[in-house]
Amino acid sequence: MTDYDPSSPVNVLADGYWEATLRESPTTATIYGDERYDDRLEDPSPAGRARLRAINETARAAAAALDPADQSLEDRITLDMLRVIADLAIEQDDQRTDLLKVVDHMAGPQTLMPSITGFQRVDTPERMDRFEARLRAYGEYMAAIRDLLREGIDTGLTAPRIVTERTIAQLKRLLATPAEASVVATMAKVASEADRERIVALVREVIRPADERFLAALAEDGYLEASRIDPGLWSAPDGDALYRTQIRAWTTLDLSAEEIHRIGLDELARLESERRAIARSQGFGEDTKGYRASLAADPSNLPGTKADLVTRANEDIARAMAAAPAVFGRLPIAGCEVRPVEEYKEADSPFAYYYPPATDGSRDGIYFVNGYDLSTGLYTKLATTTYHEAVPGHHFQIALEQENEALSRFRRLGARVVGGAYVEGWGLYSERLADELGLYRSEGERFGMLDGQAWRAARLVVDTGLHALHWPRERSIAFLVEAGLTEIEATIETDRYICWPGQALTYMLGRREIERLRAEIAARDGSDFDLRAFHDAVLGHGSLPLATLARELPTWVAAPA
């Protein structure tokens, strides 16, 4: 790979685009450790939306004026990505997807301040002043959010009712917590108790009243009644077109819902065959459900406390790090911290998820594990999830990307917008890679890995079923239970897919493409195939659209002489 040239026309354009994006998305900057905009929040008003559109229209026009034939390899890739990102942003702005996303129990506006508090530094007077300014901006921010609720009612572009109901319940839990015990007050790492009291006062004066008004707008002012009864995106105005856009936005693939549905069913059939083989080896014959039930009932497979989950995850990360040099030439500098999911959002959150490290090295990556229902937090499920979310999964992919000085800031940070299937595909591929490395401690953990793979295959079926094929919510839950999830997991997951159309497609479609490319290059190179070189090449160019990865990867992994 050639060194990054900040003066190339493509990189000047890309880095300017990223800087403009950060100005309009200040909390994103904070998550990456960039403190310049720590005193402000996003602007969801018409003016803010117009600025974002102008940024993307300008970038699209500038990218179109540059000839790809005149660019280096990395600059050609950057140019492709700018075009894809800008086109999708403008298309989604035309469709007003902001109205569909404003009510969201996974990552909606009510979660913004509790979430960002864990990332924002408030340990000096200057940082505390910026945090106070951000807290004070919350009232105006939520007023603009309420305007979007009214616009959603007028246009019919409302959230599904189950998402609205979950958001209302989450707000009630937040508001039931005293200000001094709130996430914002307790998680802020302040320099003094006087600063903590200052934050508590702002929670009382600004945050809680804004959340109360948001709750009233949802529950009492007509939004709940206007929410869509049918959960699928098809039930929104022009819903089929909206879903086609979401498929492309999340996967960068031009596949129909019907094609994706069939891929999911085929993958499930193959995975069930593998699960039956393990069940037979453990004395359960063809009874995969019986074997799964025995794992769930095994006391040694159950954590006793949230701390037990965290401890086990840390152990598995250490084991994976020890094994990684055998199949990776480059390892990330940043570490990976394990934390429990905050109590206020446990009930609505997935089993685990990952946040990237700060770009300045001040904070490691964070792997969150959810101890909401310890009876379902099986170690046989935790292992495969840890290898997916942490090491060698998302932590390797994202930390190595951020640390790659041969890439522009846009490629290291901003390109992930169109790399969803690459990112999640790598995570799912890593679960299988962990099996190759012998990281699973037992056949039960291997069975848990196959259950995790089947879950992602089922997502292809369920997401398309809900949003294109008119499935009711109950059918999705039942299908996921049949695929191996518990009732609680299937319910939480179904409501996640309802909330985020298309996101669930990224995992299996991305994994299939990475595995296809590995098989293709291994067949080309025969006994000379170098798995370390393959992995370093896959992770050496940042997040990519799958089509770009497929086109370029065989040239990055040099064929033997």
Side-chain angles (χ1 to χ4, degrees):
M1 184 187 294
T2 58
D3 291 336
Y4 164 58
D5 178 8
S7 66
S8 78
V10 173
N11 284 330
V12 170
L13 171 60
D15 286 342
Y17 175 83
W18 180 237
E19 281 298 307
T21 300
L22 287 181
R23 285 195 299 273
E24 296 302 319
S25 305
T27 59
T28 299
T30 300
I31 289 171
Y32 285 127
D34 184 339
E35 299 182 88
R36 290 176 295 166
Y37 312 113
D38 279 1
D39 59 345
R40 64 193 77 170
L41 294 172
E42 282 73 7
D43 181 2
S45 74
R49 180 174 149 239
R51 288 195 301 272
L52 280 171
R53 186 180 182 99
I55 289 168
N56 284 286
E57 287 178 338
T58 299
R60 181 168 68 175
L66 294 171
D67 186 351
D70 296 335
Q71 315 305 325
S72 68
L73 167 65
E74 293 298 344
D75 282 3
R76 283 200 307 274
I77 293 172
T78 300
L79 202 56
D80 283 347
M81 297 177 77
L82 277 169
R83 288 169 172 161
V84 171
I85 290 172
D87 282 345
L88 284 167
I90 292 167
E91 183 175 346
Q92 292 185 84
D93 184 60
D94 287 339
Q95 294 177 335
R96 294 305 309 275
T97 56
D98 58 320
L99 299 179
L100 292 165
K101 296 174 181 177
V102 69
V103 178
D104 175 348
H105 64 277
M106 301 289 297
Q110 74 284 354
T111 71
L112 181 60
M113 290 312 306
S115 295
I116 204 64
T117 299
F119 295 95
Q120 184 160 353
R121 298 171 70 183
V122 291
D123 54 353
T124 68
E126 295 77 17
R127 285 172 171 149
M128 183 62 206
D129 287 345
R130 288 198 292 268
F131 190 51
E132 177 173 346
R134 175 168 272 175
L135 290 171
R136 291 194 181 281
Y138 188 70
E140 183 178 352
Y141 168 79
M142 291 300 280
I145 291 293
R146 294 196 303 277
D147 289 341
L148 293 178
L149 296 183
R150 288 187 285 272
E151 195 172 354
I153 293 172
D154 292 341
T155 61
L157 291 170
T158 57
R161 179 167 295 227
I162 184 59
V163 174
T164 304
E165 290 172 345
R166 277 194 175 272
T167 303
I168 287 170
Q170 189 179 87
L171 279 160
K172 288 179 177 178
R173 289 195 297 273
L174 282 169
L175 290 166
T177 304
E180 60 273 13
S182 67
V183 175
V184 174
T186 58
M187 282 195 64
K189 296 177 180 178
V190 294
S192 68
E193 280 309 304
D195 283 346
R196 176 126 15 234
E197 287 304 314
R198 198 169 150 195
I199 292 172
V200 170
L202 287 163
V203 171
R204 289 197 184 101
E205 296 166 13
V206 180
I207 305 298
R208 291 177 67 90
D211 283 347
E212 287 168 352
R213 288 189 288 270
F214 185 43
L215 175 60
L218 292 175
E220 301 168 16
D221 297 343
Y223 194 89
L224 178 61
E225 290 77 6
S227 297
R228 290 180 285 120
I229 300 299
D230 293 304
L233 194 51
W234 64 267
S235 65
D238 208 16
D240 290 339
L242 288 168
Y243 188 49
R244 285 194 298 273
T245 298
Q246 291 307 304
I247 290 174
R248 284 190 292 107
W250 282 108
T251 71
T252 68
L253 298 174
D254 192 16
L255 294 173
S256 70
E258 291 74 19
E259 288 176 280
I260 296 169
H261 198 81
R262 285 195 297 273
I263 291 170
L265 291 172
D266 290 345
E267 285 285 348
L268 273 172
R270 281 191 287 271
L271 287 160
E272 180 61 11
S273 177
E274 290 186 76
R275 289 189 290 191
R276 283 198 298 269
I278 290 180
R280 285 195 298 270
S281 75
Q282 301 302 301
F284 284 81
E286 302 289 305
D287 186 7
T288 56
K289 290 182 180 179
Y291 181 52
R292 186 179 300 110
S294 75
L295 293 173
D298 181 356
S300 68
N301 195 25
L302 289 168
T305 66
K306 294 176 187 178
D308 291 341
L309 270 181
V310 171
T311 298
R312 182 70 164 232
N314 273 314
E315 290 174 357
D316 286 343
I317 287 171
R319 294 170 66 247
M321 286 298 302
V327 290
F328 293 92
R330 290 190 298 271
L331 303 178
I333 297 168
C336 185
E337 176 188 353
V338 184
R339 293 183 190 174
V341 174
E342 301 96 324
E343 289 187 2
Y344 84 94
K345 63 179 180 180
E346 286 178 327
D348 299 308
S349 295
F351 180 55
Y353 52 91
Y354 173 80
Y355 273 113
T359 55
D360 65 358
S362 62
R363 189 195 67 249
D364 287 336
I366 306 170
Y367 171 44
F368 286 94
V369 291
N370 193 343
Y372 175 66
D373 182 6
L374 290 172
S375 68
T376 65
L378 307 177
Y379 291 139
T380 47
K381 179 174 71 172
L382 179 67
T384 192
T385 308
T386 298
Y387 303 135
H388 177 120
E389 296 290 341
V391 177
H394 291 330
H395 178 63
F396 267 37
Q397 184 270 321
I398 293 173
L400 285 169
E401 177 179 85
Q402 291 183 187
E403 294 165 7
N404 190 341
E405 294 183 358
L407 300 177
S408 67
R409 279 178 59 79
F410 167 73
R411 288 283 297 280
R412 285 186 284 124
L413 303 175
R416 219 167 294 146
V417 173
V418 290
Y422 165 87
V423 173
E424 296 300 353
W426 175 260
L428 194 57
Y429 170 85
S430 296
E431 297 182 33
R432 285 280 193 178
L433 180 60
D435 196 24
E436 292 183 56
L437 292 171
L439 292 176
Y440 296 112
R441 304 171 192 233
S442 65
E443 287 298 279
E445 286 197 354
R446 292 192 65 247
F447 190 87
M449 179 271 293
L450 293 173
D451 270 355
Q453 300 280 314
W455 167 27
R456 278 41 166 253
R459 283 176 168 176
L460 301 185
V461 180
V462 167
D463 198 87
T464 52
L466 286 165
H467 295 296
L469 305 179
H470 299 206
W471 279 26
R473 177 172 177 260
E474 294 72 23
R475 182 173 178 182
S476 171
I477 294 170
F479 189 90
L480 291 172
V481 169
E482 183 65 23
L485 277 68
T486 67
E487 187 85 18
I488 290 175
E489 290 169 338
T491 301
I492 290 174
E493 287 296 314
T494 290
D495 293 346
R496 169 183 169 173
Y497 312 151
I498 291 169
C499 191
W500 291 347
Q503 191 274 341
L505 308 177
T506 58
Y507 304 79
M508 183 57 71
L509 294 179
R511 191 215 79 182
R512 282 165 53 92
E513 191 63 8
I514 293 170
E515 288 184 343
R516 184 189 70 78
L517 289 165
R518 175 174 163 175
E520 176 185 306
I521 295 171
R524 181 197 72 183
D525 296 352
S527 61
D528 292 321
F529 176 65
D530 185 342
L531 186 56
R532 294 170 87 239
F534 173 80
H535 288 151
D536 287 350
V538 171
L539 299 182
H541 299 263
S543 299
L544 299 169
L546 290 180
T548 303
L549 182 70
R551 183 180 69 238
E552 303 290 352
L553 185 62
T555 68
W556 295 337
V557 182

